[in-house]
Structure formats: structure tokens, C-alpha cells
Amino acid sequence: MIRVEHIRDGLIEEEHSGYVLTTNVGSASDYPYYLRSCAKPLQASLMIDYGLDKKYNLTSEEIALCCASHAGEKCHIDIAKRLMEKFGLEYDWLKCGLHAPLYDKNTKEKITYYHNNCVGKHILFLALCKENGWDIATYDNIDNPLQQKVKEKISQLCEIPLVDNIYPYSVTKDGCGVPILAMPLKNMITGFINLFCDSKYEKIKNAYLENPYIIGGMNRLDTEIIQNSDGLAAKVGAGGLCAVVNIKEKDALVVKINDCNMDTRRLVVFEALNKLGWSDYKCDKTIKTLHGDIVGNIRITLGW
């Protein structure tokens, strides 16, 4: 288990814990955690399975948006609208809900479904339903054939056996209202390796590597990781999660911060990537006053 301590003048003022592991380094229990938005590239594999990428001649940017937790900037909204038109979908069919764009939560512009960080996933879900004749009105329901296919696909990629088509871990609703699966962290690693290192899903891999800003955007960790590395694909998830795939090594890293602190998640991810030799990114671990005086430091113990 990792430990992150904020030490100010010799005293531990703040402390965080969690897990960080690869296929060969680190350990965690079999306790299941929800995939949250880390599920998006796994869910998007159905786009390839059902041939939507070829039928609609999807660009790398468009595929990236289907896998994204985007910041709601103009570049993201423009692609979302283009996808809706390509697939022949209606705006009112979307059920992702409304929230302010992540890049500016105090924006004065009118908030639409296109600002929702999950809208790309929902557009893809609608397109899959339309393509296969599945009920569009209930695409967010676990009993819909779409969501059953998602469950089966993620179970396959993450190597989780289904017994009588029953998922062995918890299933709930994600923040955007669609079903989300829980699983041990080791299965998350397996799923990401099986997806990103399979030539069948090369378009998804390339979408991540070629479009880091579409995957996230302003102040988004996955964007920062991809932009500052060579051959790393990354996806963040709520609940303190981040998964990173080293395409060349055919390995993956997963980080889970127990209290879901996003700043701690960022520091731990880069500390782990640097120790693995997957990146050489410098993070400031000093604690400063508003005047710039250094009064402490952040100590990270990965347990490796």
C-alpha cells in the first residue's frame, strides 16, 4: 500500500493512502473497485467489434472522443456534434445529464449535454443501439441488450468469468447514469493490456496516442501523461483511479487513491511512472506559502 505524507516543519500534516501496481510490481487485495471512467476505452471496443469505425469512416479524433472524459472545450463539443450528425442521432436521446464544463465550472455559456465529459460514450452507445435495433429509450438500463454486451465484453477483456451470464462483482450506476462494473485492480490491468496491445483495437490505441487533448483537455491528468511520454496511453476515472498502458512493454499501471484526492493521484502516478522508467517527468513536491517560501515537502512511499 502506498503512503503519501505532507510534512510541514517535521510534522505530518496530511496523509493519503492507496494502491499502485503493474503486472509485476506492487500488490493489492481482491477488493473490487468500480471502473468509473476507466471503463470508457473498454466499452468503446464494441465500436470496433460492430464495425462502426469502418461503416462511418470515423476519424482518430472521433474515436478518441468516444473514449474520453473531456473537459468540455470547443474542440470537444465540435467533435461531439459531428458524431451526432454522422450517426444520425437526435439530441434529446442523450441521457448523460448536465454539468458545467470541467475546464471552467463557472462558465456563463449555456450548458448542454455536449459539455458533459461522458457525452462521447453516450453518443457511441446510442449509435450501437441504432445499428443493432436495440431500444434507444432504455440504452442506460442494465437489462438493455447494449449494456449486456458491454458487461460481456468488459468481462472478456478483464478475464472475469461469468456464470450463467451473472457478473460476480457489484454493478451500479456511474455518475452519468449508465451501468458501471466493479472489479479487483489486477483485472483492470489485464483489461487495459488486452485492449491496447491487441492489433484488432489498434484504432483505439492510436486515438489515445494521437489525440491526448481530445481524451481529456485542460488540466486533465491523462492528457498530461500522454503528452509527456512516448508510447503511454492513459485514462483517469473518478474515485481516485488512473490506468496507464505502456504499449511497448505490453504492461500497465493502475493507481487507486483511497480518499480520491486528485492532486495526490497525479503525484503518485508520475512517481510510479518515473520509478518504472516509463517517464522522466518532474513534479514539484515542495509545500510553499503564498509568498513562495518552502515550508515542507510531500513524501511518497510506493511500497516497492
Side-chain angles (χ1 to χ4, degrees):
M1 179 177 285
I2 63 170
R3 186 178 182 186
V4 181
E5 301 162 304
H6 291 236
I7 303 169
R8 190 185 290 255
D9 196 21
L11 296 179
I12 298 175
E13 183 180 46
E14 183 179 328
E15 189 173 355
H16 307 270
S17 66
Y19 299 97
V20 54
L21 63 153
T22 70
T23 55
N24 298 309
V25 182
S27 62
S29 70
D30 287 335
Y31 189 86
Y33 296 98
Y34 290 110
L35 275 168
R36 303 301 301 269
S37 283
C38 286
K40 287 177 180 173
L42 306 175
Q43 294 162 328
S45 64
L46 291 177
M47 169 202 320
I48 308 298
D49 292 349
Y50 284 96
L52 268 64
D53 57 316
K54 295 178 180 178
K55 179 174 180 177
Y56 293 94
N57 193 27
L58 297 181
T59 67
S60 183
E61 280 189 336
E62 290 166 347
I63 292 173
L65 193 85
C66 292
C67 304
S69 297
H70 68 73
E73 299 164 70
K74 184 178 184 301
C75 59
H76 304 116
I77 292 171
D78 288 347
I79 297 170
K81 290 180 177 179
R82 191 165 75 229
L83 275 171
M84 290 286 285
E85 185 175 350
K86 262 192 178 184
F87 290 138
L89 306 175
E90 299 291 335
Y91 176 81
D92 291 340
W93 294 352
L94 290 166
K95 292 188 174 185
C96 52
L98 298 172
H99 67 66
L102 299 180
Y103 84 96
D104 181 9
K105 294 184 178 181
N106 297 312
T107 184
K108 301 300 182 184
E109 63 180 300
K110 181 182 177 182
I111 298 172
T112 70
Y113 293 144
Y114 297 127
H115 290 95
N116 187 299
N117 76 98
C118 298
V119 72
K121 172 181 70 179
H122 282 253
I123 291 172
L124 175 59
F125 281 172
L126 285 172
L128 285 165
C129 285
K130 183 181 178 186
E131 190 70 16
N132 290 284
W134 301 328
D135 185 36
I136 286 175
T138 61
Y139 80 89
D140 57 338
N141 192 303
I142 187 62
D143 295 324
N144 188 287
L146 164 71
Q147 298 302 338
Q148 289 297 305
K149 291 295 183 183
V150 170
K151 178 187 70 176
E152 293 167 11
K153 187 64 186 183
I154 291 179
S155 299
Q156 175 193 351
L157 289 169
C158 298
E159 299 182 10
I160 299 173
L162 301 179
V163 179
D164 296 328
N165 205 36
I166 296 175
Y167 190 73
Y169 300 107
S170 297
V171 180
T172 188
K173 286 189 175 184
D174 210 341
C176 62
V178 297
I180 195 67
L181 309 177
M183 66 180 62
L185 296 177
K186 64 183 181 182
N187 293 95
M188 294 187 194
I189 288 177
T190 298
F192 269 75
I193 294 173
N194 284 340
L195 176 73
F196 281 92
C197 298
D198 185 341
S199 59
K200 178 180 179 180
Y201 301 109
E202 187 171 11
K203 287 184 179 180
I204 292 178
K205 176 198 74 177
N206 290 340
Y208 270 76
L209 299 181
E210 295 168 359
N211 306 282
Y213 205 84
I214 302 304
I215 292 297
M218 187 183 299
N219 300 322
R220 302 294 288 166
L221 176 59
D222 35 19
T223 295
E224 187 179 15
I225 293 168
I226 301 169
Q227 286 179 335
N228 289 281
S229 66
D230 179 21
L232 297 184
K235 185 69 194 76
V236 297
L241 282 172
C242 181
V244 183
V245 184
N246 186 322
I247 308 297
K248 298 175 182 177
E249 298 285 340
K250 293 187 177 180
D251 201 354
L253 169 82
V254 65
V255 169
K256 162 65 181 175
I257 303 301
N258 289 333
D259 66 359
C260 311
N261 184 280
M262 293 176 67
D263 292 333
T264 300
R265 179 181 64 180
R266 176 180 178 274
L267 289 174
V268 169
V269 167
F270 279 114
E271 182 82 1
L273 291 176
N274 289 346
K275 287 204 170 187
L276 289 167
W278 294 4
S279 73
D280 184 22
Y281 191 71
K282 302 298 186 293
C283 287
D284 185 3
K285 291 182 280 189
T286 59
I287 299 172
K288 300 175 183 175
T289 69
L290 294 175
H291 308 285
D293 299 326
I294 297 176
V295 294
N297 68 288
I298 301 172
R299 182 168 62 197
I300 301 174
T301 305
L302 296 180
W304 299 352

